[in-house]
Amino acid sequence: MRIRVIDAFTDRPFAGNPAAVVLLDGPEWPDVAWMQAVAAEMNLAETAFALPQGEVWGLRWFTPAVEVDLCGHATLATTHALRADGLLAGPVRFATRSGELGADAGAD
């Protein structure tokens, strides 16, 4: 498993809003306590966990203390990770606790 820190809202390293991103390979979500422990270890505002679920990706966000319903910068960071890994070429849809979200990563 790869955990990466991606800075959103910036075009240079060590600026913007950092989020940890974990791309899972499924088929099911890991234990909530494990995801919470990873987020606590990363100690960033949010850690995003993404799980492929057919045509959409499941997406969950954890602070070091709790799971949250929505996080914009961690969603953008996850979209960037998916594009960087070649897992999407166009728009992506995320199934979240807040409903379905869409994002698109440009070439830059």
Side-chain angles (χ1 to χ4, degrees):
M1 175 192 47
R2 182 175 170 194
I3 301 172
R4 61 192 108 185
V5 176
I6 297 173
D7 296 315
F9 305 124
T10 187
D11 60 356
R12 59 188 163 78
F14 311 111
N17 290 10
V21 177
V22 181
L23 300 181
L24 302 165
D25 55 12
E28 303 208 5
W29 289 105
D31 182 68
V32 171
W34 179 84
M35 290 189 287
Q36 189 64 68
V38 170
E41 179 74 15
M42 295 308 299
N43 200 32
L44 294 170
E46 271 84 21
T47 298
F49 296 87
L51 179 72
Q53 298 178 326
E55 294 183 12
V56 302
W57 282 80
L59 183 59
R60 295 171 75 172
W61 308 275
F62 288 78
T63 72
V66 297
E67 184 172 6
V68 296
D69 292 335
L70 183 63
C71 181
H73 79 282
T75 301
L76 296 176
T78 302
T79 304
H80 174 79
L82 290 169
R83 168 112 182 175
D85 283 5
L87 298 173
L88 66 94
V92 62
R93 293 180 310 155
F94 295 110
T96 76
R97 286 173 36 165
S98 294
E100 189 171 291
L101 303 175
D104 196 359
D108 61 352

